[in-house]
Amino acid sequence: MTREQYILATQQNNLPRTENAQLYPVGIYGWRKRCLYFFVLLLLVTMIVNLAMTIWILKVMNFTVDSPLVLQSDRNVTVNARNHMGQLTGQLTIGADAVEAQCKRFEVRASEDGRVLFSADEDEITIGAEKLKVTGTEGAVFGHSVETPHIRAEPSQDLRLESPTRSLIMEAPRGVQVSAAAGDFKATCRKELHLQSTEGEIFLNAETIRLGNLPTGSFSSSSPSSSSSRQTVYELCVCPSGKLYLSPAGVGSTCQSSSSICLWS
């Protein structure tokens, strides 16, 4: 037997023995146990009621994972944005008659690359789409000037630039080009059409140049044979005011003889 085993055996023999030791029960009994069961049952009922109310609210408000969020109102829906001081910085109002946005800058971006399709602020409005299409029967109406590098009609459609009550002015520092690749080009007006070049020339290049509805002057020739023959050749004359008229062609110029038509210009 080792020293440690001897000391341990001696200490165990010297311990007093209690033959009639009392045993005390451990736990909750009596009214405390009934109160604990009551609170556990009340907590369980509260949890069930909360779960049922949550499911009911989700069902009534249409809060689902697969469906979009729907905000409905009998009058309008208003979304406000405020800064850290509580001041209103932006507002979006959706009403029965209009959709109004009040902010410093309004932007519409593409979902794919995020480029700006439409933006508006106090200074300018920018349209970043590749094509601006106006489908109204009256077209696009501009109250002031319009600056654009290209105006083109849809395929198989006519392009009309019209000013019903005022003048139509097209200006460019390096020239204005108007072309019709597969059709006719027409310029009509109610009163007068002016083609003016201050420093250059007006060049008409075509296989046939026709000036219709020009007034015709009268010319009487001294030769009876020429007067009896049918007149088929005319001379183009110009009045001092710039008005053009036709005069029956003769051996020499007949514009002076028919110049009385310039008095009506």
Side-chain angles (χ1 to χ4, degrees), residues 55-222:
I55 296 175
W56 179 77
I57 292 175
L58 293 176
K59 186 175 180 59
V60 171
M61 300 299 295
N62 294 326
F63 290 158
T64 58
V65 179
D66 301 329
S67 299
L69 178 63
V70 179
L71 300 178
Q72 295 181 352
S73 175
D74 296 336
R75 295 184 179 180
N76 54 40
V77 176
T78 303
V79 180
N80 295 330
R82 300 181 182 274
N83 55 13
H84 64 282
M85 299 179 62
Q87 298 175 352
L88 185 64
T89 58
Q91 186 179 72
L92 177 64
T93 302
I94 303 176
D97 299 330
V99 177
E100 298 180 358
Q102 298 180 5
C103 54
K104 293 183 179 180
R105 182 177 178 86
F106 180 77
E107 292 184 356
V108 178
R109 295 181 176 269
S111 58
E112 297 179 356
D113 51 1
R115 59 190 179 93
V116 178
L117 299 179
F118 177 85
S119 65
D121 54 18
E122 295 180 357
D123 298 329
E124 65 178 3
I125 296 177
T126 304
I127 299 177
E130 296 180 357
K131 182 186 298 184
L132 175 61
K133 187 174 183 180
V134 181
T135 58
T137 57
E138 297 296 330
V141 180
F142 301 95
H144 299 282
S145 61
V146 179
E147 182 179 353
T148 178
H150 191 193
I151 299 177
R152 182 181 62 185
E154 288 291 330
S156 302
Q157 299 292 332
D158 297 335
L159 175 63
R160 298 180 59 185
L161 301 177
E162 182 180 359
S163 179
T165 58
R166 291 294 186 269
S167 59
L168 177 62
I169 300 175
M170 293 187 295
E171 296 180 352
R174 299 184 60 182
V176 177
Q177 180 180 0
V178 181
S179 61
D184 300 334
F185 170 72
K186 296 180 180 180
T188 60
C189 61
R190 184 173 179 269
K191 291 184 177 181
E192 297 179 355
L193 176 63
H194 295 272
L195 297 178
Q196 182 180 2
S197 178
T198 57
E199 298 181 359
E201 61 180 0
I202 298 176
F203 181 66
L204 301 178
N205 183 11
E207 182 179 356
T208 302
I209 298 177
R210 296 181 181 180
L211 301 175
N213 298 326
L214 290 180
T216 304
S218 60
F219 170 70
S220 59
S221 176
S222 60

Side-chain angles (χ1 to χ4, degrees), residues 28-48:
I28 301 175
Y29 298 96
W31 64 272
R32 295 184 179 87
K33 184 176 183 180
R34 288 191 293 270
C35 289
L36 179 62
Y37 286 163
F38 174 76
F39 285 118
V40 171
L41 181 61
L42 181 61
L43 180 60
L44 181 61
V45 172
T46 305
M47 292 175 59
I48 294 175

